[in-house]
Amino acid sequence: NFKLNRNKGYIALFSNKKIALDRIDYLIQEPNISSGRNRDGGKQWVYYDEPTPGFSNSKSTGTEELIYSKEPEFSLEAGFYNKKKTLLLSSQVDDAEIRYTLNGDLPQRTSKLYSGPIMIDTTAIVRAIAIEKGKLSSGTSTKTYFINVNKDLPIISIVSDTKALWDTLSGIYQNSLRSIARIANIEFFEDKNEVINQIVSIKLSGNWARYHGQKAILVEANGKYGKETLDYRFYPDKRIYSFRSILLRAGGHPDKYNTMFKDGVGQFISQEHLKVDYQGYRPAVVYLNGEYWGIHNIREKLNANYLMDNYNLAKNQFDYLQQSWLVIKSGDIEHYLLTQRFINNCDKTN
């Protein structure tokens, strides 16, 4: 029922008589890295790249220093091929292990050990880590390979743990769970060239629309795990080259896939005569964990990120209020209340 400061702090254990029994001070915390005793009750503290909350540390492998292994190298670039290919994985360190997955799951120390060439004869995703002796495992390298895929639209490949998406209890796609974020990797291909490959957070968007078979996915750059922005000009009609988030929207409700472009066209056709804000629109083909997932529209979501991206503002430079102006998402409510007071008290006959 409490949280710890990510940057630094301490945890202390007291008896019921408020006598200090033990204490540990910690510095900045890295994502998915825990620190703990090398054995239960042992004196030495080590780092773990596979945390074991609620279980003993004795079966885990810890490292004394916060040093990461170097990511593995791929012999093939992500992209499009017209015949089956052979993929080789390698490490700059001779005795490093390489572990990999083909189903979208994050590779771990117990994942399949790379021992020879991987044959790719159909569209596939490969995720791999390297593990050097005495070091934490590397970051995950993710690449999507399209075999005999020919699409005219841009292509987006989203990869996330199968459990995070499809678990019967906690899978956000399986259960249409909104406002619960999951870590994923996104690749964006323009004219068959990969222009983005980075870690992001994803969550479902929409009210009734999230119960459709094809759901809207909000993709947000996450500074905790990687870059803070998606650096690409997604909408040729807008001079914006960096976004904090994009929305992958299906047909929506009540359109429900009937046109796939009704919402975008409704906003876009007004721009010739009206100088008002509008959400960027562009159709793309989406692959989810290597499976073709149909056409989605790349859209801007009307939130604080929209104002920051379109007007080059910092979050404290504008007021952004939600839920009948009761919830403050950015800035404060002072000017809104002053405006409301003026409207209530002014002479409305003028």
Side-chain angles (χ1 to χ4, degrees), residues 12-26:
L13 182 66
F14 293 85
S15 71
N16 56 3
K17 294 182 180 180
K18 298 184 180 179
I19 298 174
L21 303 175
D22 201 357
R23 168 178 171 148
I24 179 68
D25 295 86
Y26 65 88

Side-chain angles (χ1 to χ4, degrees), residues 28-36 45-52 60-72 91 93 95-99 107-110 128-140:
I28 187 168
Q29 297 297 289
E30 297 293 330
N32 293 327
I33 300 296
S34 71
S35 56
W45 284 75
V46 294
Y47 296 100
Y48 296 100
D49 51 23
E50 292 184 9
T52 55
S60 301
T61 302
T63 60
E64 296 182 15
E65 296 185 74
L66 194 61
I67 301 177
Y68 293 88
S69 306
K70 295 180 180 179
E71 292 188 10
S91 171
V93 179
D95 61 350
E97 286 185 355
I98 297 177
R99 303 277 176 168
Q108 300 179 344
R109 290 176 179 267
T110 55
I129 59 172
I131 307 170
E132 301 172 27
K133 188 175 182 180
K135 295 182 181 181
L136 297 169
S137 58
S138 71
T140 300

